[in-house]
């Protein structure tokens, strides 16, 4: 059965559940939470506040089975070339394979190479952190990761999330080719004690190379050409290019074409994380992901957290027609987690053709977005509660805070739980009317005000509660979302591991750039592009 027909089998369940709001389902079944929640290590996953009942859930699980999620998962872990348009294996899971088992790519066990790079990263990190590795001004005080997309979002998000564990040099991240990014970052840094890590899988990405060249110029100016090299390290699969840039091989940390950019934080791309939190905690981070990999491989589909996350996403995207998905961490240090997931999900599953190159007949990846609670509550939650779009949400919250600060954490958790409750239960017109009556409003005032205070409810959410935002927990969370994205791509029959959609804009930027410094009209362009170039040139002088 093709993706569309398989997904369509869910339709009767939507029809049935359309008349059964979740609040009624909760009243009817006191065991709903225990039926629709799971625990994995230190993490609990509640998916009971979704528009499902036992039959709908079974049908969703059946969909995963019919779409051969298990077979394709096994193919991925076995190193088959499931990234067909680039003819590559997909093995970010090997980077956190702590089992001792071999992982084969084209018949070759890649684990020894992975361990070799990890051990080189460990040695370098220990040397930098201890001060054994010295640059012109002595011990490194600041590390600037220069990269973009997967070579930035992962480490930047993780370093921020794990800041309570950071005891190494101060980490900074420069990604945007907008000179403001580099300039603002370098302000206040001492070039003599700064290390730049040029992170680029291809080592050709225009923005990263521009920032790397400007960083090199800044260092050379301060320490001279001869000493500049020691202020640079590289993370890349392209050794020729790192050498051409002048970074010596002993400060170049490699990875492989079977690690996708947005799946690369576990690889050498995580060096800035390791420098910040140290090798032992970096290992815990890998351990967390490994726990999830094992769960993904071994748990039956109906108890498999990433599979369930994926199925619920399909349910809402394809059957209920909900086009966006919000990720709402009640954990301020996860502020960049939604942005990280945007790349992971939208670059992976924002596809319009299937594996055979045929136009897909179902919607694929949703728009993923979010901000930390409680800030979001005072900004966009109005629309989530009462807007005309239904937005499935993921709430994330830790049981233990990093800071013991009065009752802040209890307030935070209470808000998180209150939001998912409010979204689910809503508030009926009768309830609003009774409340207003109780508050002494007359009938006219009630009639005027009541509709505005109604919450239709029945708005779905998942909630993750974890013990504490540790390196291990963060590793788990990221891996859960990675596998969710994979399962959805499998069900939609698309390639989640290429990203051709980013290429056209890159090519056109190269074409347009010469027109921005020459007073020559781009004759072959559309009138809007020509007009914008003209406006730019006139405003420039
Ligand atoms: O343009 C998209 C992209 O290729 C991402 O997939 C990738 O994470 C990012 O650019 C950076 O690529 P690189 O690591 O090769 O510089």
């Amino acid at each position: 059965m093709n993706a569309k027909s398989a997904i369509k089998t869910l339709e009767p369940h939507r029809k049935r559940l359309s008349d059964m709001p979740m609040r009624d389902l909760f009243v009817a079944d006191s065991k709903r939470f225990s039926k629709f929640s799971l625990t994995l290590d230190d993490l609990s996953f509640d998916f009971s506040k979704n528009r499902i009942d036992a039959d709908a859930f079974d049908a969703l699980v059946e969909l995963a089975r019919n779409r051969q999620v298990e077979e394709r998962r096994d193919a991925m872990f076995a190193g088959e070339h499931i990234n067909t348009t680039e003819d590559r294996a997909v093995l970010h899971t090997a980077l956190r394979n702590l089992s001792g088992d071999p992982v084969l790519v084209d018949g070759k066990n890649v684990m020894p190479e992975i361990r070799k790079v990890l051990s080189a990263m460990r040695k370098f990190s220990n040397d930098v952190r201890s001060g054994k590795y010295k640059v012109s001004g002595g011990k490194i005080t600041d590390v600037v990761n220069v990269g973009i997309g997967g070579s930035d979002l992962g480490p930047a998000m993780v370093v921020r999330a794990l800041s309570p564990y950071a005891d190494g040099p101060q980490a900074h991240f420069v990604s945007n080719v907008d000179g403001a990014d580099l300039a603002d970052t370098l302000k206040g840094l001492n070039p003599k004690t700064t290390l730049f890590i040029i992170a680029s899988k291809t080592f050709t990405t225009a923005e990263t190379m521009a920032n790397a060249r400007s960083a090199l110029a800044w260092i050379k100016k301060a320490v001279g050409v001869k000493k500049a090299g020691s202020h640079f390290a590289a993370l890349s699969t392209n050794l020729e290019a790192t050498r051409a840039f002048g970074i010596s091989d002993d400060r170049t940390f490699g990875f492989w074409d079977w690690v996708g950019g947005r799946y690369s934080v576990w690889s050498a791309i995580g060096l800035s994380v390791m420098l910040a939190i140290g090798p032992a905690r970096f290992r815990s981070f890998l351990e967390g992901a490994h726990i999830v990999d094992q769960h993904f491989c071994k748990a039956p589909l109906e108890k498999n957290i990433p599979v369930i996350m994926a199925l619920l996403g399909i349910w809402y995207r394809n059957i209920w027609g909900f086009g966006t998905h919000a990720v709402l961490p009640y954990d301020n240090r996860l502020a960049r987690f939604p942005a990280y997931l945007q790349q992971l999900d939208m670059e992976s599953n924002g596809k319009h053709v299937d594996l055979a190159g045929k136009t897909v007949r179902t919607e694929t990846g949703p728009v993923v977005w979010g901000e930390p609670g409680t800030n979001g509550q005072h900004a966009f939650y109005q629309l989530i509660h009462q807007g005309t779009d239904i937005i499935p949400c993921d709430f994330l919250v830790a049981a233990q805070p990093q800071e013991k600060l009065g009752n802040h954490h209890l307030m935070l958790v209470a808000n998180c739980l209150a939001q998912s409750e409010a979204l689910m239960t809503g508030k009926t017109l009768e309830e609003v009317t009774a409340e207003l009556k109780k508050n002494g409003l007359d009938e006219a005032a009630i009639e005027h005000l009541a509709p505005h205070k109604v919450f239709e409810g029945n708005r779905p959410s998942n909630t993750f509660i974890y013990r504490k935002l540790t390196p291990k927990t963060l590793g788990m969370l990221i891996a859960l979302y990675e596998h969710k994205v994979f399962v959805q791509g499998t069900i939609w029959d698309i390639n989640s591991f290429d990203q051709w959609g980013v290429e056209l804009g890159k090519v056109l930027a190269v074409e347009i750039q010469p027109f921005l410094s020459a007073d020559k009209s781009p004759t072959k362009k559309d009138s809007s592009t020509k007009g914008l170039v003209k406006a730019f040139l006139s405003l420039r002088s």
Side-chain angles (χ1 to χ4, degrees):
M1 209 188 293
N2 65 34
K4 187 178 178 186
S5 315
I7 291 170
K8 262 213 130 146
T9 59
L10 300 170
E11 193 56 42
H13 298 282
R14 182 189 67 79
K15 286 209 177 101
R16 189 183 69 256
L17 285 159
S18 298
D19 299 329
M20 297 164 75
M22 282 186 265
R23 70 195 239 162
D24 292 355
L25 295 172
F26 270 97
V27 171
D29 183 0
S30 61
K31 298 209 166 67
R32 188 171 167 85
F33 174 78
S34 57
K35 282 182 190 159
F36 295 132
S37 62
L38 290 165
T39 302
L40 176 63
D41 201 82
D42 274 350
L43 180 141
S44 146
F45 172 56
D46 170 26
F47 60 102
S48 60
K49 292 193 187 92
N50 279 291
R51 295 181 178 184
I52 51 169
D53 59 7
D55 288 347
F57 182 66
D58 289 349
L60 283 166
V61 171
E62 202 45 35
L63 172 69
R65 198 158 286 128
N66 286 341
R67 296 298 302 146
Q68 305 199 309
V69 165
E70 292 152 298
E71 288 81 350
R72 205 165 154 78
R73 170 199 66 197
D74 295 345
M76 175 169 76
F77 277 84
E80 284 181 31
H81 286 212
I82 62 165
N83 176 354
T84 46
T85 60
E86 296 176 316
D87 192 17
R88 289 174 184 168
V90 174
L91 274 174
H92 46 280
T93 50
L95 302 166
R96 62 243 187 167
N97 167 28
L98 305 177
S99 70
D101 293 342
V103 175
L104 302 182
V105 178
D106 304 324
K108 183 182 165 211
N109 181 13
V110 293
M111 288 315 299
E113 277 184 66
I114 292 175
R115 284 191 203 107
K116 200 167 142 198
V117 175
L118 256 178
S119 128
M121 286 168 66
R122 240 184 343 253
K123 175 164 186 336
F124 185 65
S125 295
N126 284 334
D127 289 353
V128 168
R129 286 162 57 85
S130 67
K132 187 170 167 201
Y133 183 80
K134 285 193 175 41
V135 283
S136 33
K139 187 179 175 181
I140 300 280
T141 56
D142 295 88
V143 171
V144 183
N145 185 87
V146 176
I148 197 164
S151 299
D152 163 71
L153 284 162
M157 181 275 285
V158 171
V159 163
R160 187 163 178 169
L162 299 180
S163 59
Y165 300 92
D167 52 6
Q170 187 67 39
H172 310 264
F173 294 87
V174 171
S175 53
N176 203 317
V177 75
D178 183 341
D181 201 2
L182 186 67
D184 286 352
T185 306
L186 298 188
K187 229 179 264 168
L189 294 192
N190 176 3
K192 294 188 174 151
T193 56
T194 297
L195 174 75
F196 284 91
I197 300 180
I198 312 303
S200 175
K201 179 174 169 182
T202 54
F203 229 74
T204 57
T205 301
E207 293 93 329
T208 300
M209 297 327 294
N211 277 324
R213 283 190 296 271
S214 298
L216 182 59
W218 185 71
I219 289 288
K220 278 184 179 167
K221 197 171 159 209
V223 307
V225 176
K226 254 193 173 163
K227 291 183 180 162
S230 62
H231 289 259
F232 282 80
L235 319 173
S236 187
T237 55
N238 185 352
L239 278 187
E240 226 174 277
T242 54
R243 284 174 193 149
F245 189 85
I247 300 178
S248 86
D249 282 5
D250 55 329
R251 282 190 311 282
T252 297
F253 302 89
F255 54 112
W256 307 271
D257 70 356
W258 38 263
V259 182
R262 52 195 175 275
Y263 299 88
S264 64
V265 66
W266 322 102
S267 71
I269 290 293
L271 183 64
S272 54
V273 176
M274 195 189 266
L275 284 164
I277 65 174
R281 293 182 182 126
F282 190 80
R283 189 184 160 87
S284 305
F285 175 61
L286 300 182
E287 239 168 57
H290 182 58
I291 291 170
V292 169
D293 291 342
Q294 286 183 314
H295 166 79
F296 182 47
C297 287
K298 290 181 187 153
L301 294 177
E302 64 278 10
K303 293 199 184 306
N304 201 307
I305 298 176
V307 171
I308 295 168
M309 289 164 71
L311 289 170
L312 291 167
I314 299 262
W315 178 229
Y316 294 128
R317 182 79 178 108
N318 299 127
I319 298 294
W320 294 83
F322 306 154
T324 87
H325 183 94
V327 179
L328 306 167
Y330 279 68
D331 202 322
N332 205 47
R333 293 196 177 94
L334 284 179
R336 293 295 286 160
F337 194 50
Y340 172 80
L341 293 182
Q342 276 175 341
Q343 189 200 11
L344 176 65
D345 202 318
M346 294 166 78
E347 195 165 76
S348 296
N349 284 345
K351 306 288 161 68
H352 77 300
V353 294
D354 64 17
L355 286 172
K358 298 262 182 322
T359 302
V360 291
R361 292 165 64 218
T362 57
E363 300 83 8
T364 58
V367 173
V368 175
W369 60 285
E371 280 287 323
T374 58
N375 298 13
Q377 288 174 215
H378 297 273
F380 54 80
Y381 277 38
Q382 165 65 38
L383 187 148
I384 299 186
H385 283 286
Q386 286 189 319
T388 49
D389 281 284
I390 307 285
I391 300 168
C393 303
D394 286 351
F395 293 99
L396 298 102
V397 70
Q400 294 178 22
Q402 300 282 2
E403 283 76 27
K404 299 242 177 326
L405 207 64
N407 65 351
H408 285 233
H409 196 64
L410 298 186
M411 280 174 72
L412 182 73
V413 177
N415 270 281
C416 178
L417 303 190
Q419 291 302 320
S420 72
E421 184 190 352
L423 286 169
M424 187 273 285
T425 54
K427 203 169 183 183
T428 63
L429 185 62
E430 294 70 45
E431 286 165 342
V432 172
T433 307
E435 189 182 282
L436 293 178
K437 226 181 235 168
K438 206 170 142 204
N439 290 345
L441 270 74
D442 64 27
E443 233 168 74
I446 291 176
E447 199 181 325
H448 171 68
L449 195 54
H452 299 277
K453 300 192 82 163
V454 169
F455 292 67
E456 67 182 11
N458 205 29
R459 299 190 173 212
S461 67
N462 298 314
T463 301
F464 295 91
I465 302 189
Y466 39 87
R467 191 181 301 281
K468 199 172 186 172
L469 190 59
T470 60
K472 184 180 88 175
T473 309
L474 186 61
M476 290 179 72
L477 285 172
I478 299 173
L480 285 172
Y481 280 93
E482 283 180 350
H483 294 320
K484 169 198 171 173
V485 166
F486 167 78
V487 172
Q488 292 190 331
T490 298
I491 292 174
W492 286 321
D493 196 29
I494 56 177
N495 183 357
S496 301
F497 300 104
D498 60 11
Q499 56 283 320
W500 301 106
V502 298
E503 294 305 322
L504 179 58
K506 290 185 192 173
V507 173
L508 296 185
V510 172
E511 257 178 51
I512 289 172
Q513 197 169 326
F515 297 117
L516 301 179
S517 37
D519 198 3
K520 187 175 141 211
S521 171
T523 43
K524 287 196 184 129
K525 294 286 174 191
D526 59 87
S527 65
S528 166
T529 307
K530 277 195 262 189
L532 290 168
V533 168
K534 209 167 155 198
F536 167 78
L537 289 171
S538 78
L539 288 169
R540 202 177 180 210
S541 50

